[in-house]
Amino acid sequence: MIKGNTKRRRLAWLSAAFFTGAALLMPATIGSALAIEGHQTPPISSDDSGFQGSDKECEGTPDNTVIWHFVQTQPAADSGNLTATFTTAGTIVQGNAVSPADTLHWYVSTGKPDTLTAFSSNVGGTGNLVLSHICQGDTVTTTTTVVTTTTTDETTTTTGTGTNT
């Protein structure tokens, strides 16, 4: 039989162990479990003039491509994922690029044109998650022309068709 004082001490030790363990696990859990929603309000079109990057920022953007640059300031971790949803490309989950310790950067590529409808990161923190800017590659179209020549003993017939895409 356990005496009253011994029983209370065991209960006290078990409680202390539980709360100590919970306190040790909580910071790791909170930093990754709290998502940060985007600071701007979608929808944001890829041709929105307020978000277009400078020539220097957008140099080298591939043809027919949109690069969306997201930034999260004061994150609670040094890495994480961004989830961005677009009208055409659908939902894209992207790991962050190499970033300074106090800011996370993500670069998401879609076809052109597209519209951002939602974005968030899985990294907690005290700062904001924002769409920094959008870079658009040149729009390139392809023209295909087919020429058929038929020759017989007495006549030559040429027909042509063209396709623009």
Side-chain angles (χ1 to χ4, degrees):
M1 179 173 193
I2 299 175
K3 293 186 179 180
N5 285 340
T6 306
K7 192 174 188 180
R8 278 188 283 248
R9 273 185 278 193
R10 283 187 183 169
L11 183 59
W13 278 107
L14 286 172
S15 296
F18 171 78
F19 288 113
T20 301
L24 291 173
L25 292 174
M26 196 176 307
T29 305
I30 288 175
S32 60
L34 295 179
I36 299 288
E37 296 296 319
H39 193 64
Q40 293 103 340
T41 303
I44 300 170
S45 175
S46 59
D47 62 358
D48 187 317
S49 62
F51 287 99
Q52 299 307 303
S54 69
D55 289 343
K56 182 177 179 183
E57 290 170 320
C58 297
E59 185 177 342
T61 302
D63 292 341
N64 298 323
T65 300
V66 180
I67 304 294
W68 307 75
H69 179 203
F70 298 89
V71 176
Q72 182 176 337
T73 58
Q74 302 171 340
D78 60 359
S79 66
N81 291 325
L82 174 93
T83 302
T85 304
F86 300 91
T87 303
T88 304
T91 299
I92 298 173
V93 178
Q94 178 74 44
N96 66 286
V98 175
S99 304
D102 60 348
T103 306
L104 293 177
H105 294 262
W106 291 273
Y107 298 90
V108 177
S109 176
T110 66
K112 186 177 178 180
D114 214 334
T115 300
L116 178 67
T117 60
F119 63 107
S120 64
S121 84
N122 68 343
V123 181
T126 58
N128 291 319
L129 172 63
V130 298
L131 173 62
S132 171
H133 62 273
I134 301 167
C135 292
Q136 297 192 59
D138 292 333
T139 301
V140 177
T141 57
T142 305
T143 302
T144 305
T145 302
V146 177
V147 176
T148 306
T149 303
T150 306
T151 304
T152 61
D153 290 338
E154 295 181 18
T155 61
T156 301
T157 304
T158 302
T159 59
T161 60
T163 305
N164 290 327
T165 57

